[in-house]
Amino acid sequence: MGERSLSPFVSPDNMSIVFSDEGFTHILRLYNTNIDGKVKAPFALTSIKGIGRRFANVVCKMADVDLNKRAGELTEEEQQRVLAVIQNPRQFKIPDWFLNRQKDHKDGKYRQIVSNVVDQTLREDIERMKKIRLHRGLRHYWAVRVRGQHTKTTGRRGRSVGVAAGKK
């Protein structure tokens, strides 16, 4: 049997990925998140909170990054292009329906929120709902199920409810 032609990253001996150390970063740091350099670029971006698989794929296409490239192989310029697309997706013709923060309550703008801003925005939204006494806000305040689930028989393990045994 002859030698099979393989991609430049796979060694024919044990069929594992081989990385050359020059120009390869094993752990990238983007948006306060450690990103594994051995994973392909679009899938690696999904480890950043607020970025899903479809958005990561579109970001890589708009930033002219090869989808089969590993995250550790990205040059500094490619990383900056990816960050630019994530920060300003509307400038790169990504449609409004693709973004995760549509018609913000404060300013009415469309944006993609990522990293620790996701937690901060969620906390602010819940506080706003509590403040204006929305049904959802009250449910959060009472610490009961918010999204219409049945609660008569399920969800009893979390809190201790009941009458303490008295003296007889």
Side-chain angles (χ1 to χ4, degrees):
M1 250 178 150
E3 185 83 19
R4 289 191 287 184
S5 65
L6 300 169
S7 71
F9 302 108
V10 178
S11 69
D13 304 354
N14 57 2
M15 300 297 286
S16 64
I17 299 173
V18 177
F19 297 107
S20 58
D21 276 343
E22 66 274 350
F24 186 82
T25 312
H26 289 279
I27 297 177
L28 281 81
R29 185 82 174 158
L30 299 175
Y31 283 113
N32 296 329
T33 308
N34 293 334
I35 296 176
D36 187 10
K38 293 175 256 179
V39 182
K40 289 189 177 178
F43 196 73
L45 287 177
T46 61
S47 61
I48 300 172
K49 196 165 192 169
I51 296 180
R53 287 189 285 194
R54 300 245 314 143
F55 187 75
N57 200 349
V58 168
V59 163
C60 288
K61 286 179 182 175
M62 294 294 176
D64 294 327
V65 173
D66 183 16
L67 298 179
N68 291 320
K69 217 174 197 186
R70 305 280 168 175
E73 298 168 344
L74 295 178
T75 63
E76 189 64 36
E77 180 203 340
E78 288 173 327
Q79 290 178 24
Q80 293 305 317
R81 286 197 314 242
V82 166
L83 290 176
V85 174
I86 292 172
Q87 285 174 344
N88 305 307
R90 296 180 79 196
Q91 290 179 357
F92 291 88
K93 303 286 190 278
I94 294 178
D96 288 340
W97 55 264
F98 222 102
L99 306 180
N100 65 3
R101 186 68 176 175
Q102 300 175 11
K103 283 202 233 174
D104 193 16
H105 291 288
K106 288 183 181 173
D107 53 10
K109 293 184 179 177
Y110 293 80
R111 64 173 62 107
Q112 181 76 14
I113 56 174
V114 291
S115 186
N116 55 354
V117 182
V118 174
D119 296 328
Q120 175 186 341
T121 308
L122 180 65
R123 201 174 323 110
E124 289 173 1
D125 284 347
I126 292 172
E127 288 303 316
R128 181 187 60 83
M129 286 188 280
K130 288 178 186 177
K131 183 179 177 184
I132 64 175
R133 312 282 292 166
L134 273 181
H135 182 262
R136 270 180 67 190
L138 293 174
R139 303 286 292 185
H140 277 292
Y141 179 72
W142 296 329
V144 293
R145 299 289 167 96
V146 175
R147 296 185 175 181
Q149 298 96 324
H150 291 265
T151 56
K152 183 176 182 179
T153 57
T154 62
R156 294 182 177 183
R157 290 184 58 203
R159 288 188 283 175
S160 60
V161 180
V163 180
K167 293 184 182 178
K168 288 198 176 192

